[in-house]
Amino acid sequence: MEQYAFASITELARSLALSNVTAESLTTFFLNRIANLNPVLHAFVCVFPEQALAQARQSDERRQQGKALGMLDGIPLGIKDLCDIEGTITTCGSRQWETRISSGTADVVQRLQAHGAVIIGKTHTVEFAFGGWGTNPLQGTPRNPWDRNLHRVPGGSSSGSGVAVAAGLVPGALGTDTGGSVRIPAALNGITGLKTTVGLVNADGVFPLSRKLDSVGPMTRTADDAALLLQALTHAPGQEVQSVMYPGCDQADQLAGMRICVLPEEDYGVPVQRAVRLGLRDMARMVDMAGATIIREAPPFNFQQAMSDCGKLIAAEGWRVHRDYIQDPDMLFGPFVRDRLMSGKSISDMQYQDLLEAHQKMQAVWTQWMADKDALMLPTTPSSAIPLAQVDESVTPLGTFTRFVNWVKGCALALPAGFDQTNLPVSVQLTGKAGDEAKLLHIGSTIQSLTAWHSYTPVVG
């Protein structure tokens, strides 16, 4: 069974279809891995063994009757602990909410279950999803699996989902992204993460941070797996859809006709680790080999300013979500997240409206600039994962290249792009206009057909 630990969803689906493994045995295998490794990795906040095994048995029964619901039927998945599941606790990463029982089930969970996926448990998150390092001082910070000797940051806020997929505890998981919260943990943990366009995936039942910026997206090993989950999150089983699946192949002209912009290094605006720069150059060569036209140009805005403005909108909206209790000193909230949410109190209603107008204007600027481009390629994070002990919670360097995508209401795909000198993963991202997910997934799948970075796995256990 060990060969299934780091298999892709697509590979697992093939094994299930060929009866090489049952959903029940596969679920049991991943439950055992979680039981053995989660005490150290801290990826899952809770696990549902009885419910998961029952769902797996139902999947096996359907398959025996020739009624499998598709490629996700019988696949174990993790769900970020912002998503309600009726009758279970949804803490949103908060010690204060560790008895908060959900009265309903999030639409995204219902959709995955409708496709036969096995919901194995909930993954840790930064408290209220407000933080890029992935830290959670009260519930505990998940451990980046790429360093067995030193506790390094997992990236946030979808920290547990990133660690769970990277460590082979599940083949896929859901995250949310308000300023980089899918892409940052995907980058630091060496997996693939898709930030979807706001509104593409129904967020009903997912606790909000910023309703204007929040999105739900898949975290997987490959772009093809991300496409598979996206299809399930946006369409009913058997529904006729335009294909978002792009199986990898090595055709030299697979990206012919595409124009991919690569951000020039002189326009980074911040120091970027050498391994990240080299990874980006390597990925640019891959799309060139696949027939795309490479152009080099910087967007018509400043990344630091976009990051700052996006952060202000997150704080303003987060304050409006949490203001009834976040100021109460008797409630058990983490100090850094409390401070971030409290900073939104100083943003007046007039300033908030100004931010919303600026947000809308930037969408138009981005759409116009991207009109003759299929994607912008740039780093996901400026560096690999740092030790937890070195984190400065007052700064957000990991969001330098991610927040602007939320600010312009785009979509983005983070892809593994190599390793630094200490064997920690680095990442690049493809960014696009609103609704360009299929295009980014096609480019990502092509890159992964020409590279092997996504197939490397950490030594755990």
Side-chain angles (χ1 to χ4, degrees), residues 68-108:
L69 297 171
M71 292 182 69
L72 285 185
D73 203 342
I75 301 293
L77 298 175
I79 304 296
K80 185 175 181 177
D81 190 27
L82 290 182
C83 303
D84 286 333
I85 299 178
E86 185 177 0
T88 71
I89 293 173
T90 305
T91 75
C92 301
S94 179
R95 283 282 300 276
Q96 184 65 39
W97 287 10
E98 286 185 341
T99 58
R100 178 179 175 271
I101 298 178
S102 298
S103 59
T105 298
D107 184 82
V108 289

Side-chain angles (χ1 to χ4, degrees), residues 233-442:
L233 292 171
T234 53
H235 298 90
Q239 186 176 350
E240 189 70 25
V241 297
Q242 181 179 1
S243 176
V244 296
M245 294 296 291
Y246 293 97
C249 64
D250 55 4
Q251 296 176 359
D253 61 349
Q254 195 174 182
L255 299 183
M258 284 196 163
R259 287 169 52 86
I260 298 176
C261 182
V262 177
L263 181 68
E265 291 187 10
E266 59 268 24
D267 291 308
Y268 286 168
V270 296
V272 173
Q273 188 179 8
R274 182 173 182 270
V276 176
R277 290 186 274 114
L278 293 177
L280 184 59
R281 294 175 196 173
D282 182 52
M283 297 299 232
R285 283 195 296 271
M286 295 304 105
V287 295
D288 179 61
M289 287 173 53
T293 298
I294 301 294
I295 57 177
R296 299 185 185 275
E297 183 183 341
F301 52 80
N302 180 277
F303 287 113
Q304 292 291 334
Q305 186 63 52
M307 182 172 71
S308 175
D309 291 340
C310 184
K312 290 176 183 177
L313 182 55
I314 295 171
E317 296 220 307
W319 161 254
R320 283 157 174 77
V321 170
H322 295 284
R323 60 185 168 189
D324 289 343
Y325 41 80
I326 198 65
Q327 300 178 90
D328 188 341
D330 294 328
M331 288 197 173
L332 196 61
F333 298 123
F336 304 114
V337 168
R338 190 195 295 264
D339 287 347
R340 290 179 198 126
L341 291 170
M342 289 287 290
S343 70
K345 182 180 181 180
S346 64
I347 299 173
S348 68
D349 288 344
M350 183 176 294
Q351 291 171 319
Y352 174 52
Q353 290 302 317
D354 288 343
L355 283 168
L356 292 178
E357 290 179 12
H359 175 45
Q360 188 170 6
K361 288 178 181 178
M362 285 302 297
Q363 296 172 35
V365 170
W366 175 248
T367 301
Q368 182 177 359
W369 184 75
M370 285 291 294
D372 62 345
K373 305 171 184 69
D374 293 291
L376 169 65
M377 180 185 288
L378 72 168
T380 308
T381 58
S383 67
S384 56
I386 68 169
L388 179 62
Q390 295 179 11
V391 167
D392 180 354
E393 293 279 3
S394 68
V395 294
T396 56
L398 295 178
T400 299
F401 300 117
T402 59
R403 275 193 186 177
F404 88 90
V405 183
N406 305 77
W407 186 235
V408 302
K409 198 179 179 180
C411 58
L413 180 68
L415 301 166
F419 295 87
D420 69 8
Q421 68 277 12
T422 58
N423 294 320
L424 295 172
V426 297
S427 174
V428 304
Q429 63 176 331
L430 299 165
T431 62
K433 303 184 299 297
D436 273 354
E437 283 84 358
K439 189 179 294 184
L440 300 185
L441 289 164
H442 175 38

Side-chain angles (χ1 to χ4, degrees), residues 69-272:
L69 297 171
M71 292 182 69
L72 285 185
D73 203 342
I75 301 293
L77 298 175
I79 304 296
K80 185 175 181 177
D81 190 27
L82 290 182
C83 303
D84 286 333
I85 299 178
E86 185 177 0
T88 71
I89 293 173
T90 305
T91 75
C92 301
S94 179
R95 283 282 300 276
Q96 184 65 39
W97 287 10
E98 286 185 341
T99 58
R100 178 179 175 271
I101 298 178
S102 298
S103 59
T105 298
D107 184 82
V108 289
V109 177
Q110 293 183 50
R111 286 178 179 272
L112 293 176
Q113 290 174 326
H115 285 263
V118 174
I119 308 304
I120 208 166
K122 291 188 177 181
T123 56
H124 273 284
T125 173
V126 175
E127 190 169 20
F128 301 136
F130 202 173
W133 293 111
T135 56
N136 190 320
L138 299 185
Q139 278 197 340
T141 299
R143 182 170 184 145
N144 193 306
W146 287 93
D147 193 331
R148 302 179 70 185
N149 301 314
L150 188 62
H151 193 159
R152 292 182 180 271
V153 293
S157 64
S158 306
S159 52
S161 290
V163 171
V165 175
L169 305 187
V170 280
L174 289 190
T176 64
D177 195 310
T178 309
S181 290
V182 161
R183 291 161 288 157
I184 293 171
L188 299 191
N189 289 284
I191 63 172
T192 300
L194 177 65
K195 179 253 180 279
T196 59
T197 304
V198 173
L200 176 65
V201 177
N202 189 335
D204 289 350
V206 181
F207 198 88
L209 173 59
S210 166
R211 289 182 173 87
K212 290 291 185 182
L213 301 172
D214 291 345
S215 62
V216 182
M219 302 175 70
T220 56
R221 303 207 173 285
T222 68
D224 289 343
D225 283 359
L228 181 62
L229 283 184
L230 178 62
Q231 185 165 303
L233 292 171
T234 53
H235 298 90
Q239 186 176 350
E240 189 70 25
V241 297
Q242 181 179 1
S243 176
V244 296
M245 294 296 291
Y246 293 97
C249 64
D250 55 4
Q251 296 176 359
D253 61 349
Q254 195 174 182
L255 299 183
M258 284 196 163
R259 287 169 52 86
I260 298 176
C261 182
V262 177
L263 181 68
E265 291 187 10
E266 59 268 24
D267 291 308
Y268 286 168
V270 296
V272 173

